[in-house]
């Protein structure tokens, strides 16, 4: 069967089959084979497939065919209303989906466009006023455009939620509900993702009407083309081990995932100091800086790209050979998305996880999710198996010093019942036969009595009763009372003495 026959058997238009053939695809993937007929029939769809198996084309090709009858080469904005809305959780994924729509729909005169935050909104408003039929957007920027009356969602016929498990997560629910309330209820809704928890499936039931579920692989399972293993190491030597792996294995293109934005910046800076060309992308970076770092990485100008989980969704790097989990994600499902950046389109890839003691609980959660034990490979000089063990598996050294844990609060060792505790030191012998004399008596014996002071000649002796001197004379009393002087300032009349 030829390429055209393989895709024509799915009921696709010749224009779409020609676009697919120009991209070099030989046959549809399992998710495409099952999803395309369902979307063409107009039913709601809940699709689950492994990352990198072509699920983007699984909804892009059929929606382009459903909108083809409305295609027009007219420049009138009234003939190009928003007929299809595709929501994505990240800017990178929005750009990737937009490129796929342009690639597969280049032979059909439909007008696609993409909007996302982090850039000036005015050029996006001007483009929307020219008319857009397929709009790819992130929820936040779409609501901004709606608030400025630049987008009218009352004409939407098809709604697509890509990476639906993230889109329907608790942080996106309010925005998604606001957007859905602006869309007609007679729409067709498609949900695609690589992972679906049972809770997410129940929540998605609120937005879909009698959906058909397409699940081509066991849930939360990485692609078989990805080889996975892990290295155990001490926490403080993780960066040193990463530099050693990149240099000793001569890796030229490595995508490294960190848990935080600050950690991604710090790791990229440390790798640069180790002589490895590195760059970081995360949510605090401007959109232009993120695009520049990503393009440099794709062009092999940057050897290591350090990213947060924002890059785990939608990054499509052709033939990416290595993905490293420097930090394990806080949600086990994100592990599948991370390592899904490699081994895409049937190519081989490697996923390496660096594990320290703090990562062991999440590492066990990842193994439980994918239902597979990840191989542990030791690295000479970095054997951290003992350091990366569970905290409760560490050797118990309490009681070797101090009084147990931290020197206090520990348990003291006690002898078995029935035995006497050995005396730590012999009893003190009585070295003095007589009791020690009181301190006051000792002072009195050691010092002579102080002599009584004698008064000097002419001084009064205060130890005797007072006696007047023989030549003392009584004081003379004045005959008249002293004359009272008048005050220099005037006395208020209130206090003047009345005349007799």
């Amino acid at each position: 069967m030829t390429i055209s026959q393989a895709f024509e058997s799915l009921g696709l238009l010749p224009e779409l089959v020609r676009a697919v053939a120009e991209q070099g695809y030989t046959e549809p993937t399992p998710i495409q084979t099952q999803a395309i007929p369902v979307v063409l029939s107009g039913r709601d769809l809940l699709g689950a497939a492994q990352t990198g198996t072509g699920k983007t084309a699984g909804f892009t090709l059929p929606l382009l065919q459903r909108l083809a009858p409305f295609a027009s080469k007219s420049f009138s904005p009234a003939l190009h209303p928003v007929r299809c809305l595709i929501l994505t959780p990240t800017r990178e994924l929005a750009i990737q989906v937009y490129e796929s729509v342009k690639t597969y729909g280049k032979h059909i005169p439909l007008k696609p466009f993409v909007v996302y935050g982090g850039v000036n909104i005015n050029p996006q408003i001007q483009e929307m006023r020219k008319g857009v039929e397929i709009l790819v957007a992130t929820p936040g920027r779409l609501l901004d455009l709606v608030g400025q009356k630049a987008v009218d969602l009352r004409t939407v016929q098809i709604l697509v939620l890509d990476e639906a498990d993230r889109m329907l997560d608790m942080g996106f629910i309010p925005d998604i509900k606001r957007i859905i309330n602006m869309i007609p209820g007679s729409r067709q809704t498609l949900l695609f993702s690589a992972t679906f928890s049972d809770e997410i499936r129940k929540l998605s039931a609120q937005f879909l009407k009698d959906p058909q579920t397409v699940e081509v692989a066991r849930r939360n399972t990485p692609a078989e083309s990805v080889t996975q293993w892990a290295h155990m190491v001490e926490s403080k030597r993780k960066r040193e081990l990463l530099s050693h792996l990149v240099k000793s294995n001569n890796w030229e293109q490595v995508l490294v995932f960190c848990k935080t934005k600050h950690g991604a910046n710090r790791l990229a800076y440390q790798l640069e100091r180790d002589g490895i060309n590195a760059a970081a992308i995360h949510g605090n970076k401007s959109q232009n800086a993120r695009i520049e770092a990503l393009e440099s990485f794709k062009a092999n100008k940057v050897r290591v790209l350090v990213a947060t989980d924002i890059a785990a969704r939608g990054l499509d790097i052709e033939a990416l050979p290595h993905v490293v989990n420097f930090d394990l994600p806080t949600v086990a499902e994100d592990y599948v998305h991370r390592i899904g950046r490699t081994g895409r389109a049937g190519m081989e890839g490697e996923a390496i996880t660096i594990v320290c003691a703090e990562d062991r609980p999440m590492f066990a959660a990842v193994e439980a999710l994918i239902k597979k034990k990840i191989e542990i490979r030791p690295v000479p000089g970095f054997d951290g198996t003992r350091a990366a063990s569970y905290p409760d598996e560490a050797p118990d050294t309490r009681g070797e010093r101090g009084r147990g844990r931290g020197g206090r609060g520990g348990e003291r060792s006690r002898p078995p019942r029935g035995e006497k505790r050995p005396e730590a030191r012999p009893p003190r012998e009585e070295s003095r036969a007589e009791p020690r004399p009181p301190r006051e008596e000792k002072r009195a014996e050691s010092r002579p009595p102080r002599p009584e002071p004698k008064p000097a000649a002419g001084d009064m002796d205060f130890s005797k009763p007072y006696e007047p001197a023989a030549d003392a004379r009584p004081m003379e009393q004045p005959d008249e009372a002293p004359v009272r002087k008048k005050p220099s300032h005037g006395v208020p009349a209130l206090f003047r003495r009345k005349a007799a």
Side-chain angles (χ1 to χ4, degrees), residues 54-264:
K55 62 183 175 64
T56 302
F59 65 81
T60 301
L61 290 171
L63 71 83
L64 284 170
Q65 179 159 328
R66 293 205 63 202
L67 298 178
F70 303 98
S72 174
K73 296 182 179 180
S74 172
F75 292 98
S76 173
L79 297 178
H80 302 285
V82 179
R83 305 182 189 277
C84 176
L85 176 62
I86 304 174
L87 293 177
T88 66
T90 65
R91 309 173 212 176
E92 286 75 15
L93 183 55
I95 295 174
Q96 178 193 334
V97 173
Y98 170 65
E99 293 295 335
S100 297
V101 173
K102 285 202 310 180
T103 299
Y104 298 129
K106 61 183 178 180
H107 301 302
I108 299 177
L110 292 169
K111 296 182 65 175
F113 190 57
V114 59
V115 294
Y116 46 81
V119 296
N120 191 355
I121 195 174
N122 293 327
Q124 297 177 357
I125 294 176
Q126 295 175 3
E127 189 67 26
M128 291 300 302
R129 288 174 179 170
K130 298 178 183 178
V132 173
E133 293 168 290
I134 301 176
L135 179 60
V136 186
T138 55
R141 178 49 58 94
L142 178 61
L143 291 175
D144 293 340
L145 292 170
V146 171
Q148 299 197 24
K149 300 187 183 305
V151 179
D152 186 3
L153 300 179
R154 292 176 296 178
T155 57
V156 172
Q157 303 173 16
I158 303 174
L159 172 64
V160 181
L161 299 179
D162 197 13
E163 302 292 358
D165 56 341
R166 180 68 62 168
M167 292 296 300
L168 296 178
D169 203 353
M170 294 303 296
F172 292 95
I173 289 176
D175 290 345
I176 295 299
K177 288 185 176 180
R178 287 181 60 191
I179 294 172
I180 289 179
N181 290 334
M182 304 175 191
I183 300 174
S186 58
R187 67 185 181 273
Q188 180 185 13
T189 306
L190 313 176
L191 277 77
F192 282 85
S193 180
T195 57
F196 277 112
S197 64
D198 295 334
E199 292 78 10
I200 295 300
R201 288 174 176 267
K202 294 178 182 178
L203 189 60
S204 64
Q206 302 177 18
F207 308 133
L208 278 71
K209 299 177 182 178
D210 189 25
Q212 180 169 340
T213 302
V214 174
E215 193 169 1
V216 298
R218 183 166 52 87
R219 280 186 289 169
N220 304 323
T221 306
E224 296 181 358
S225 58
V226 179
T227 304
Q228 306 174 61
W229 73 85
H231 298 299
M232 300 293 182
V233 71
E234 298 179 15
S235 177
K236 60 184 178 182
R237 301 192 68 190
K238 292 178 75 172
R239 191 268 311 161
E240 184 182 353
L241 173 59
L242 177 60
S243 297
H244 171 75
L245 293 174
V246 174
K247 292 180 179 180
S248 61
N249 296 317
N250 197 25
W251 291 346
E252 295 298 331
Q253 198 176 35
V254 189
L255 179 59
V256 180
F257 284 103
C258 285
K259 188 181 299 182
T260 64
K261 304 169 187 177
H262 177 68

Side-chain angles (χ1 to χ4, degrees), residues 346-407:
M347 302 188 67
E348 299 294 329
E350 296 178 344
I352 302 95
T353 304
I354 300 177
V355 183
C356 63
E358 293 81 3
D359 299 327
R360 284 302 298 267
M362 181 51 64
F363 186 68
V366 168
E367 290 182 326
L369 177 72
I370 64 176
K371 295 180 174 57
K372 177 182 178 182
K373 281 291 183 180
I374 300 176
E375 178 187 359
I376 305 298
R377 298 184 182 180
V379 180
F382 293 91
D383 186 12
T385 305
R386 180 183 179 88
S389 60
Y390 285 103
D392 54 0
E393 292 178 356
D396 189 6
T397 57
R398 294 180 296 177
E400 294 181 1
R401 55 180 181 176
R403 290 185 299 168
R405 185 185 305 170

Side-chain angles (χ1 to χ4, degrees), residues 256-441:
V256 180
F257 284 103
C258 285
K259 188 181 299 182
T260 64
K261 304 169 187 177
H262 177 68
N265 285 335
R266 181 175 63 247
L267 180 59
Y269 172 75
Q270 292 172 341
L271 291 175
E272 287 279 354
R273 294 186 60 180
D274 292 342
I276 300 174
N277 193 11
I281 60 171
H282 49 72
N284 285 354
K285 296 276 188 179
S286 66
Q287 185 62 26
N288 292 334
R290 289 160 67 173
I291 293 176
E292 181 181 356
L294 188 57
E295 293 300 325
S296 298
F297 182 65
K298 290 181 178 179
N300 289 324
K301 296 179 182 179
V302 172
R303 194 172 181 182
V304 176
L305 183 64
V306 186
T308 55
D309 283 314
I310 192 173
R313 309 285 179 126
L315 275 186
D316 189 8
I317 303 170
E318 185 177 356
L320 177 64
H322 310 288
V323 169
V324 176
N325 290 298
F326 187 82
D327 296 323
L328 279 168
T330 54
V331 180
E333 286 81 3
D334 286 340
Y335 175 85
V336 179
H337 288 277
R338 284 183 175 188
I339 68 174
R341 300 309 103 200
T342 184
R344 299 175 72 87
M347 302 188 67
E348 299 294 329
E350 296 178 344
I352 302 95
T353 304
I354 300 177
V355 183
C356 63
E358 293 81 3
D359 299 327
R360 284 302 298 267
M362 181 51 64
F363 186 68
V366 168
E367 290 182 326
L369 177 72
I370 64 176
K371 295 180 174 57
K372 177 182 178 182
K373 281 291 183 180
I374 300 176
E375 178 187 359
I376 305 298
R377 298 184 182 180
V379 180
F382 293 91
D383 186 12
T385 305
R386 180 183 179 88
S389 60
Y390 285 103
D392 54 0
E393 292 178 356
D396 189 6
T397 57
R398 294 180 296 177
E400 294 181 1
R401 55 180 181 176
R403 290 185 299 168
R405 185 185 305 170
R408 54 179 171 175
E411 298 182 359
R412 299 183 181 179
S413 58
R414 297 179 180 179
R417 183 173 298 180
E419 297 183 9
K420 293 184 178 180
R421 182 188 296 271
E423 296 183 357
R425 52 186 177 180
R428 181 181 296 177
E429 297 179 0
E430 296 293 337
S431 57
R432 296 182 180 87
E434 298 179 358
R436 179 182 296 179
R439 182 175 295 180
E440 295 297 333
E441 296 180 5

Side-chain angles (χ1 to χ4, degrees), residues 12-88:
L12 294 177
L13 294 174
E15 293 85 353
L16 297 174
V17 174
R18 179 152 51 105
V20 171
E22 291 172 357
Q23 296 302 311
Y25 296 117
T26 58
E27 60 183 11
T29 62
I31 184 64
Q32 295 169 1
T33 302
Q34 297 187 36
I36 289 176
V38 177
V39 179
L40 289 176
S41 67
R43 289 191 60 181
D44 288 1
L45 177 66
L46 182 64
Q50 297 172 351
T51 303
T53 56
K55 62 183 175 64
T56 302
F59 65 81
T60 301
L61 290 171
L63 71 83
L64 284 170
Q65 179 159 328
R66 293 205 63 202
L67 298 178
F70 303 98
S72 174
K73 296 182 179 180
S74 172
F75 292 98
S76 173
L79 297 178
H80 302 285
V82 179
R83 305 182 189 277
C84 176
L85 176 62
I86 304 174
L87 293 177
T88 66

